[in-house]
């Protein structure tokens, strides 16, 4: 803090203390207070640059920073000289320089100083920058893009990317991440987009099934059955029935499993017989 506030002059081989600046100096009692004092000591343009960087994340890129404020990258050398941000050896995006905050708490404190309207606008710029950079890496970056859109207040885009992130995590059997992404999507979804609701709950159903969570799996099947009725979707009904047959089989309730399978298949015969020529009827 003494270096950042200029009490200690660290230039050159020997450090020097500016004794006159010690008069009335109060050292904050907490690390958060020290970091806040460091931010307050920055020149206004440098502080704004660091604040915009904090919106991008604990790791950020000069190009993403420029998408928020074209002048902000100009102050990165000064921030790096103060060791508030650290240039990384490699960047996740070609043609950019990647930086990281000196430590996680500095990022949190800096982000906390950004006004809410400024946060929303900056998150929107960051989300669109990541969108433009995501070609071929959409699944990898989906959760980051979703988080920025959510904080920007763009609910539809946020849900779409949380759903994409959830489905990708489920395919990779990253169950904890998949459920977390679904939770974020469902928290934002007003329930009017039924096909999207089906996809979100299908992810949860698959995760609970893999995890052997019988209660969770049963709840999701009930939700999906209700959605199948609301959308009059026979394919979804068969999919849910398949899961119910699987559960009965795993519980060694073989007669019930066969009965349910035959009943559902019989119900499916009519649309299958009348399928268009060339349509898949498997």
């Amino acid at each position: 803090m003494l270096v950042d506030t200029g009490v200690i002059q660290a230039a050159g081989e020997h450090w020097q203390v500016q004794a006159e600046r010690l008069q009335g100096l109060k050292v904050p009692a907490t690390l958060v207070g020290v970091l806040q004092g460091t931010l307050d000591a920055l020149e206004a343009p440098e502080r704004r640059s660091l604040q915009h960087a904090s919106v991008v994340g604990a790791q950020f890129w000069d190009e993403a920073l420029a998408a928020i404020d074209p002048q902000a990258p100009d102050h990165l050398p000064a921030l790096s000289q103060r060791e508030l941000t650290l240039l990384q050896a490699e960047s996740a995006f070609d043609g950019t320089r990647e930086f990281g905050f000196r430590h996680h708490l500095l990022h949190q404190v800096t982000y906390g100083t950004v006004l809410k309207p400024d946060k929303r606008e900056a998150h929107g710029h960051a989300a669109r920058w990541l969108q433009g950079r995501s070609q071929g890496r959409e699944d990898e970056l989906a959760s980051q893009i979703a988080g920025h859109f959510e904080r920007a207040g763009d609910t539809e885009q946020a849900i779409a990317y949380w759903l994409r992130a959830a489905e990708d995590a489920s395919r990779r059997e990253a169950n904890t991440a998949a459920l977390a992404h679904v939770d974020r999507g469902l928290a934002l979804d007003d329930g009017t987009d039924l096909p999207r609701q089906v996809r979100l709950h299908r992810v949860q159903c698959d995760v609970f099934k893999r995890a052997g969570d019988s209660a969770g799996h049963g709840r999701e099947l009930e939700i999906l059955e209700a959605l199948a009725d609301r959308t009059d979707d026979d394919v979804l009904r068969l999919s849910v029935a398949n899961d119910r047959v699987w559960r009965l089989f795993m519980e060694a309730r073989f007669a019930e499993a066969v009965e349910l399978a035959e009943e559902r298949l019989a119900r499916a015969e009519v649309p299958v017989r009348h399928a268009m020529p060339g349509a898949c009827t498997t």
Side-chain angles (χ1 to χ4, degrees), residues 41 48 59 71 100 108 112 142 153 159 174 183 199 206 214 228 237-238 249:
R48 283 196 299 271
Q59 302 292 122
Q71 306 302 318
Q108 287 185 316
I159 298 172
D183 284 344
R199 291 172 65 186
D206 291 344
S214 181
R237 289 189 181 102
L238 284 172
F249 179 81

Side-chain angles (χ1 to χ4, degrees), residues 8-16 81:
I8 293 177
Q9 298 295 319
E13 183 178 353
H14 300 288
W15 290 13
Q16 295 181 341
Q81 186 176 6

Side-chain angles (χ1 to χ4, degrees), residues 108-130:
Q108 287 185 316
V109 172
T110 305
Y111 184 73
T113 65
V114 185
L115 298 176
K116 287 185 177 180
D118 294 337
K119 281 181 182 177
R120 289 170 66 94
E121 182 179 357
H123 277 297
H125 288 305
R128 288 184 288 275
W129 180 82
L130 277 172

Side-chain angles (χ1 to χ4, degrees), residues 66-110:
I68 298 174
D69 178 1
Q71 306 302 318
D74 296 342
H75 305 289
L76 288 174
L79 295 172
S80 294
Q81 186 176 6
R82 290 175 176 268
E83 296 187 348
L84 297 175
T85 62
L86 305 174
L87 179 63
Q88 306 298 295
E90 297 180 357
S91 176
F93 298 99
D94 292 338
T96 69
R97 291 182 299 159
E98 183 171 328
F99 293 82
F101 276 75
R102 184 169 65 193
H103 50 71
H104 183 62
L105 187 56
L106 175 61
H107 171 245
Q108 287 185 316
V109 172
T110 305

Side-chain angles (χ1 to χ4, degrees), residues 224-246:
L224 287 169
E225 282 183 331
L227 287 169
D229 289 339
R230 292 178 66 187
T231 56
D232 194 24
D233 187 338
D234 284 331
V235 174
L236 179 57
R237 289 189 181 102
L238 284 172
S239 174
V240 173
N242 182 64
D243 270 23
R244 289 205 177 279
V245 169
W246 176 85

Side-chain angles (χ1 to χ4, degrees), residues 204-273:
Q204 288 203 131
C205 187
D206 291 344
V207 169
F208 289 141
K209 181 179 178 180
R210 282 197 302 270
D213 184 340
S214 181
H217 185 229
R219 287 195 303 271
E220 290 303 313
L221 289 179
E222 290 178 3
I223 293 172
L224 287 169
E225 282 183 331
L227 287 169
D229 289 339
R230 292 178 66 187
T231 56
D232 194 24
D233 187 338
D234 284 331
V235 174
L236 179 57
R237 289 189 181 102
L238 284 172
S239 174
V240 173
N242 182 64
D243 270 23
R244 289 205 177 279
V245 169
W246 176 85
R247 289 190 67 198
L248 291 169
F249 179 81
M250 294 303 292
E251 295 168 2
R253 296 160 63 183
F254 304 121
E256 293 175 68
V258 171
E259 181 181 358
L260 176 59
E262 289 178 341
E263 186 269 329
R264 291 296 182 176
L265 286 172
R267 185 180 297 182
E269 284 180 356
V270 173
V272 167
R273 283 199 302 267

